[in-house]
Amino acid sequence: KNQVEQSPQSLIILEGKNCTLQCNYTVSPFSNLRWYKQDTGRGPVSLTIMTFSENTKSNGRYTATLDADTKQSSLHITASQLSDSASYICVVSVAGGTSYGKLTFGQGTILTVHP
Amino acid sequence: GAGVSQSPSNKVTEKGKDVELRCDPISGHTALYWYRQSLGQGLEFLIYFQGNSAPDKSGLPSDRFSAERTGGSVSTLTIQRTQQEDSAVYLCASSFDGRSYNEQFFGPGTRLTVL
């Protein structure tokens, strides 16, 4: 069964600090992995996307890594801001067939940044 | 340009009633997805439309759920005889086409509450 597991479930940090969120997946056949940010009451917004050949991808203060061998990904947030408070969702896409474009979602990590 | 829009933003209904949720995808996007996000749960795939192809309905939880996409654009998700366990946020997403690398752009969701 395709699964995506994220840790921690929730995280509280002080503004300006860095943090790293983890994602493990057992999705096959693997196509790509995305990290989404979901603000309260909003739909998810894509931060990064990586295929199996990409090890790292950055988007401003967000840096995602991917180890396709161990099926692990991380999202590192640098110099956190209050606006980073959100749920961060790891999403893995299955390749081919009737699963074309179908995504498997993790449950998300709820990040709270305190001043 | 406009993003994905959904209506209504909130819907409160009584158990046993039917509800219709609407999604307007980004113009030109041929792929459209419906997801359900229950409290404390990850997003759950419901149904996928790609162009004029038969939809992938494999995620619909019961025959009370159905969806249509008229003219390859607007989509309606219908839930008949609603149950309390149907209470969730229903998210719609669209992408340029169904290829797994293409980003899915999400709407803000419809929060459904079944009393």
Side-chain angles (χ1 to χ4, degrees), chain B residues 2-14:
Chain B
V4 177
S5 61
Q6 294 186 244
S7 61
S9 56
N10 282 283
K11 177 71 177 179
V12 180
T13 190
E14 295 179 347

Side-chain angles (χ1 to χ4, degrees), chain A residues 31-32 34 38 46 93 101, chain B residues 37 56 58 100-104:
Chain A
S31 175
N32 56 74
R34 293 178 174 89
Q38 185 175 22
S46 178
S93 184
Chain B
Q37 188 173 33
D56 178 351
S58 60
S100 57
Y101 192 83
N102 286 323
E103 180 180 352
Q104 294 187 21

Side-chain angles (χ1 to χ4, degrees), chain A residues 82-108:
Chain A
L82 298 180
S83 59
D84 292 333
S85 295
S87 177
Y88 291 84
I89 304 171
C90 176
V91 187
V92 182
S93 184
V94 179
T98 58
S99 301
Y100 220 30
K102 192 187 298 184
L103 309 179
T104 301
F105 292 81
Q107 292 192 346

Side-chain angles (χ1 to χ4, degrees), chain A residues 31-75:
Chain A
S31 175
N32 56 74
L33 184 148
R34 293 178 174 89
W35 283 93
Y36 277 88
K37 178 186 179 188
Q38 185 175 22
D39 293 313
T40 302
R42 301 287 193 93
V45 175
S46 178
L47 295 174
T48 62
I49 180 171
M50 291 180 291
T51 64
F52 71 92
S53 62
E54 296 176 291
N55 301 120
T56 185
K57 184 72 71 76
S58 291
N59 178 0
R61 295 180 297 102
Y62 301 101
T63 299
T65 65
L66 174 64
D67 186 333
D69 292 330
T70 62
K71 299 186 178 181
Q72 296 180 327
S73 176
S74 66
L75 180 69

Side-chain angles (χ1 to χ4, degrees), chain B residues 68-90:
Chain B
E68 291 184 339
R69 189 178 185 192
T70 55
S73 182
V74 172
S75 177
T76 302
L77 177 69
T78 302
I79 308 174
Q80 296 178 311
R81 305 180 302 281
T82 52
Q83 303 295 313
Q84 289 183 332
E85 60 263 29
D86 299 335
S87 295
V89 175
Y90 290 82

Side-chain angles (χ1 to χ4, degrees), chain B residues 19-72:
Chain B
V19 295
E20 283 190 354
L21 312 179
R22 177 186 169 104
C23 172
D24 284 86
I26 294 173
S27 178
H29 281 192
T30 63
L32 186 147
Y33 307 77
W34 282 98
Y35 298 92
R36 177 168 71 176
Q37 188 173 33
S38 302
L39 190 63
Q41 304 292 318
L43 275 77
E44 173 190 7
F45 166 78
L46 296 177
I47 188 169
Y48 160 54
F49 295 90
Q50 172 54 50
N52 295 320
S53 302
D56 178 351
K57 304 179 181 180
S58 60
L60 295 179
S62 77
D63 58 8
R64 296 187 296 105
F65 289 72
S66 62
E68 291 184 339
R69 189 178 185 192
T70 55

